[in-house]
Amino acid sequence: LPRQPAASPLLALDIGGTLIKLVYTASCEGDGGGDDGAELRFAKFERRRLQECFEFIRAKGLLGCNGTRSTNENVLLKATGGGAYKFADDFREKLGVYLDKLDEMDSVVSGANFLLQNIPGAAFTHMNGQRNPVDVSPNNLFPYLLVNIGSGVSILKVTGNRKFERVTGTHIGGGTMFGLAKLLTGCKSYDEFLQLSQKGDNFVLDLIVKDICGELVCQKQGLSTSTLASSFGKVITSKKRLTDYKPEDLASTLLSAFTYNIAQIAFLVASLLGLRRVFFGGSYIRGHKSTMENISFAIDFWSQSQMQAVFLRHEGYLGALGALMSYGD
Ligand code: ADP
């Protein structure tokens, strides 16, 4: 099958368990104006809104300048994520395009390496309220640990361009947290959940060391009084029911429980592999400050400042970016 015609904008997709991510170059209709053919654009849709995604692709003219169905029969789009297999027929029926299916981990690693090696300022730390760029050059980049937090979590050791190993992962990831968040807080969207968490106080539900030992004993034993002992642990001894808790506090507790847990697993894997730099990607992070702060704090705390958590711009689009890069192969 032929590739996307050279004259048309490039489009690649990552259809994951929760979200459909699109990366594309400015369309030939000039919706960015001027000579911006190399400019990358990003869009995402909930997976259950596949029809809206099709509309978007059509409306933006992303299948070519004459994006009518009959001329698209030969278009082959690069696509990754499990949905690239599941929805291939829908793409053929509704858009008349074929999907060239790419391995998800290959794509995520290519996307991360592309960002790190080509986009200045793509990598940064976020700690103690400060965002600082991380200088990466090809000589100091590898090896690194890549923790991609999507619906589930994938943890990869990356040793070079296209050189990586999926070390492990966990099924307790963004999907788990957001699923519980919908049940417990009634939130309708991920952004609403993040906003709720911002206004909440996790110590209403979380059991901290001080609650167990009392402040004096803690101080004597040199324990940090505010260290989390058990997420949601206070609920057990409380007479409160779910509706007695504020959605804000529930959201805050959920976000800290999952974020610290994923960061701790990342630390353990990095320790086992002797890696000091851990890059975090996936839509879970969504550029949210306190998520990045908590990940950074946890990595710093467990590693006694020997490891660094690094974040990426466009963190949710690593797979789609990698897929877009493969047009050049
Ligand atoms: P996947 O490829 O598995 O869909 P992503 O990297 O796209 O994974 O991350 C999905 C996770 O990101 C969700 O489980 C949720 O925690 C979070 N998320 C961020 N933005 C959204 C959104 N708009 N809708 C749903 N979940 C979102």
Side-chain angles (χ1 to χ4, degrees), residues 14-21 44 46 81 104 148-152 173-178 189-191 194 281-286 315-316:
D14 174 6
I15 312 177
T18 310
L19 298 173
I20 306 172
K21 281 79 59 179
K44 65 170 187 289
E46 283 177 47
E104 187 174 347
N148 199 47
I149 319 177
S151 308
T176 326
M177 180 181 71
F178 189 37
S189 73
Y190 194 69
D191 285 351
L194 290 178
S283 306
Y284 178 94
I285 296 169
R286 220 209 162 311
E315 77 281 89

Side-chain angles (χ1 to χ4, degrees), residues 39 41 43 65 87 108 115 131 145 164 179 182 202 313:
E39 188 183 309
R41 308 256 165 113
C65 302
F87 298 132
V108 166
L115 276 180
R131 180 180 163 133
L145 195 72
F164 70 91
K182 281 193 160 177
N202 63 301
R313 276 171 69 195

Side-chain angles (χ1 to χ4, degrees), residues 4 8-13 21-25 56-57 62-63 76-79 91 95 320 323-324 327:
Q4 261 194 291
S8 72
L10 292 176
L11 164 67
L13 302 113
K21 281 79 59 179
L22 272 60
V23 180
Y24 58 100
T25 54
F56 179 87
I57 292 172
L62 296 178
L63 298 177
L76 186 60
L77 291 182
K78 300 284 185 185
F91 275 83
L95 288 179
L324 193 83
Y327 279 112

Side-chain angles (χ1 to χ4, degrees), residues 296-313:
S296 303
F297 175 85
I299 294 286
D300 187 71
F301 173 86
W302 291 114
S303 75
Q304 300 178 337
S305 304
Q306 295 304 297
M307 283 178 203
Q308 203 179 28
V310 187
F311 304 96
L312 297 166
R313 276 171 69 195

Side-chain angles (χ1 to χ4, degrees), residues 202-212 225-237 253 256-257 260:
N202 63 301
F203 293 122
V204 173
L205 294 101
D206 283 345
L207 199 62
I208 56 176
V209 169
K210 184 176 70 179
D211 299 324
I212 302 176
T225 50
S226 63
T227 301
L228 272 181
S230 171
S231 292
F232 286 91
K234 261 190 202 150
V235 176
I236 308 295
T237 50
T253 302
S256 77
Y260 284 133

Side-chain angles (χ1 to χ4, degrees), residues 52-110:
E52 281 174 30
C53 173
F54 290 154
E55 284 308 314
F56 179 87
I57 292 172
R58 270 199 217 102
K60 289 272 176 194
L62 296 178
L63 298 177
C65 302
N66 308 309
T68 59
R69 199 184 147 139
S70 60
T71 57
N72 290 335
E73 295 293 349
N74 292 331
V75 174
L76 186 60
L77 291 182
K78 300 284 185 185
T80 188
Y85 294 89
K86 190 153 184 192
F87 298 132
D89 290 346
D90 298 86
F91 275 83
R92 217 168 42 242
E93 282 160 23
K94 299 277 163 41
L95 288 179
V97 297
Y98 291 85
L99 299 185
D100 184 4
K101 300 166 204 76
L102 306 168
D103 179 80
E104 187 174 347
M105 294 301 125
D106 273 339
S107 302
V108 166
V109 170
S110 299

Side-chain angles (χ1 to χ4, degrees), residues 57-268:
I57 292 172
R58 270 199 217 102
K60 289 272 176 194
L62 296 178
L63 298 177
C65 302
N66 308 309
T68 59
R69 199 184 147 139
S70 60
T71 57
N72 290 335
E73 295 293 349
N74 292 331
V75 174
L76 186 60
L77 291 182
K78 300 284 185 185
T80 188
Y85 294 89
K86 190 153 184 192
F87 298 132
D89 290 346
D90 298 86
F91 275 83
R92 217 168 42 242
E93 282 160 23
K94 299 277 163 41
L95 288 179
V97 297
Y98 291 85
L99 299 185
D100 184 4
K101 300 166 204 76
L102 306 168
D103 179 80
E104 187 174 347
M105 294 301 125
D106 273 339
S107 302
V108 166
V109 170
S110 299
N113 281 339
F114 167 78
L115 276 180
L116 289 165
Q117 291 169 326
N118 297 286
I119 311 290
F124 59 92
T125 57
H126 208 300
M127 217 171 143
N128 305 322
Q130 278 196 329
R131 180 180 163 133
N132 287 310
V134 172
D135 206 14
V136 279
S137 70
N139 355 333
N140 76 6
L141 177 58
F142 305 111
Y144 67 82
L145 195 72
L146 180 59
V147 181
N148 199 47
I149 319 177
S151 308
V153 184
S154 289
I155 305 186
L156 306 117
K157 177 183 178 177
V158 184
T159 49
N161 284 320
R162 300 185 178 205
K163 288 197 201 130
F164 70 91
E165 183 193 340
R166 185 180 188 276
V167 187
T168 186
T170 163
H171 59 292
I172 301 190
T176 326
M177 180 181 71
F178 189 37
L180 285 171
K182 281 193 160 177
L183 290 175
L184 297 180
T185 73
C187 68
K188 294 274 179 290
S189 73
Y190 194 69
D191 285 351
E192 184 191 347
F193 163 69
L194 290 178
Q195 277 164 17
L196 282 173
S197 78
Q198 248 357 77
K199 291 183 244 154
D201 176 5
N202 63 301
F203 293 122
V204 173
L205 294 101
D206 283 345
L207 199 62
I208 56 176
V209 169
K210 184 176 70 179
D211 299 324
I212 302 176
C213 317
E215 197 149 2
L216 264 177
V217 178
C218 282
Q219 275 165 4
K220 266 197 210 144
Q221 297 187 353
L223 292 168
S224 168
T225 50
S226 63
T227 301
L228 272 181
S230 171
S231 292
F232 286 91
K234 261 190 202 150
V235 176
I236 308 295
T237 50
S238 166
K239 292 210 169 64
K240 287 189 192 174
R241 302 159 67 99
L242 178 58
T243 46
D244 296 325
Y245 289 103
K246 287 201 270 179
E248 289 85 348
D249 296 338
L250 288 159
S252 174
T253 302
L254 277 169
L255 188 62
S256 77
F258 281 81
T259 302
Y260 284 133
N261 184 249
I262 293 167
Q264 184 169 18
I265 292 170
F267 156 75
L268 290 171

